[in-house]
């Protein structure tokens, strides 16, 4: 069966928890006045089962989102807090249903303010980011794909720059090798010319000496 979107499912679970709390107070009033509470008990039992199913669906949605990396770790933790709050509320309502806990609070702010009473930040009051608010799974997947494509494009551009720099380095190295070869050729040419000059100098001295002797 298709799993409903997360936000409507979350709102439905919160409303159902509120309805169960109201039904339990109605049942308790019937018991105190001696009236039959069988009909209310049946309704509460069915509602508790429905709430449990909705919580399981929320857990499944969260698992899918985390597995597909559609949300950040921070957003995953925030949504897990929401599920945990619902699980705690479900246990409280079940305990009240079995007459093992206090009468449930039916004020509409009770579920949303439960964390504030314990001196901690209440995750129900947190807002989704503007980037993901109201987006479905397909839209989130497209957004994630677009982000990955942008990152890939950036990596391709960086790779192109690095390749170009490598090519320039190789060209500079080749140019230096050619210049070194030219310097070596010039050095050899100078040495050869110097040798010829020495030979010519010796020849001139020899001719000069012979001329002097002949004179």
């Amino acid at each position: 069966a298709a799993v409903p979107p997360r936000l409507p499912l979350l709102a439905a679970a919160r409303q159902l928890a509120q309805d169960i709390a109201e039904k339990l107070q109605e049942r308790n009033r019937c018991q105190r006045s001696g009236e039959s509470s069988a009909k209310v008990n049946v309704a509460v039992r069915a509602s508790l089962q429905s709430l449990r199913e909705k919580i399981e669906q929320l857990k499944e949605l969260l698992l899918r989102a985390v597995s597909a990396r559609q949300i950040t770790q921070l957003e995953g933790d925030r949504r897990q807090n929401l599920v945990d709050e619902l699980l705690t509320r479900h246990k409280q309502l079940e305990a009240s249903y079995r007459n093992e806990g206090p009468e449930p609070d039916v004020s509409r702010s009770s579920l949303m303010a439960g964390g504030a009473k314990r001196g901690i930040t209440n995750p129900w009051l947190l807002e989704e980011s503007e980037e993901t608010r109201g987006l479905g799974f397909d839209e989130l997947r497209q957004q994630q794909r677009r982000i990955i494509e942008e990152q890939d494009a950036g990596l391709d551009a960086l790779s192109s720059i690095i390749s170009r720099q490598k090519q320039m380095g190789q060209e500079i190295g080749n140019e230096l090798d050619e210049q070194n070869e030219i310097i070596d050729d010039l050095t050899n040419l100078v040495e050869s010319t110097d040798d010829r000059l020495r030979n010519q100098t010796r020849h001139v001295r020899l001719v000069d000496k012979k001329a002097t002797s002949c004179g």
Side-chain angles (χ1 to χ4, degrees), residues 94-170:
E94 272 195 332
S96 297
Y97 170 71
R98 295 191 300 268
N99 291 320
E100 297 174 355
E103 188 168 311
D105 186 355
V106 296
S107 61
R108 293 197 174 272
S109 61
S110 62
L111 187 58
M112 298 180 66
K117 293 178 182 178
R118 296 190 297 271
I120 61 175
T121 302
N122 180 14
W124 289 100
L125 301 179
L126 298 178
E127 294 287 341
E128 276 195 287
S129 64
E130 292 293 337
E131 291 80 5
T132 60
R133 185 177 302 164
L135 297 182
F137 277 112
D138 291 339
E139 293 169 320
L140 285 171
R141 189 177 296 109
Q142 291 174 1
Q143 184 186 63
Q144 184 76 8
R145 186 180 298 114
R146 183 172 63 253
I147 293 173
I148 293 174
E149 289 174 353
E150 292 174 357
Q151 292 175 344
D152 288 343
L155 291 174
D156 289 341
L158 180 60
S159 176
S160 177
I161 293 173
I162 294 174
S163 297
R164 177 57 181 165
Q165 290 178 340
K166 179 181 179 181
Q167 181 181 356
M168 291 174 61
Q170 291 174 342

Side-chain angles (χ1 to χ4, degrees), residues 17-73:
Q18 173 72 24
D19 294 342
I20 293 172
E22 293 175 357
K23 284 186 174 67
L24 285 173
Q25 282 209 342
E26 180 183 351
R27 182 201 67 172
N28 294 343
R29 284 195 300 269
C30 291
Q31 290 176 346
R32 286 193 294 266
S33 63
E35 300 177 21
S36 174
S37 59
K39 184 176 180 180
V40 180
N41 271 331
V42 171
V44 170
R45 186 164 57 249
S47 296
L48 283 170
Q49 178 62 30
S50 178
L51 177 59
R52 182 68 187 184
E53 291 172 356
K54 285 178 170 55
I55 294 173
E56 290 299 323
Q57 288 178 323
L58 284 169
K59 289 170 64 177
E60 181 181 352
L61 287 174
L62 177 58
L63 179 60
R64 289 182 183 179
V66 171
S67 299
R69 296 184 179 179
Q70 296 171 342
I71 56 177
T72 62
Q73 181 64 42

Side-chain angles (χ1 to χ4, degrees), residues 170-186:
Q170 291 174 342
E171 291 174 354
I172 292 173
N174 293 336
E175 183 69 22
L176 289 175
D177 290 340
E178 293 177 0
Q179 291 179 0
N180 287 333
E181 290 179 0
I182 293 173
I183 291 173
D184 290 340
D185 291 341
L186 287 174

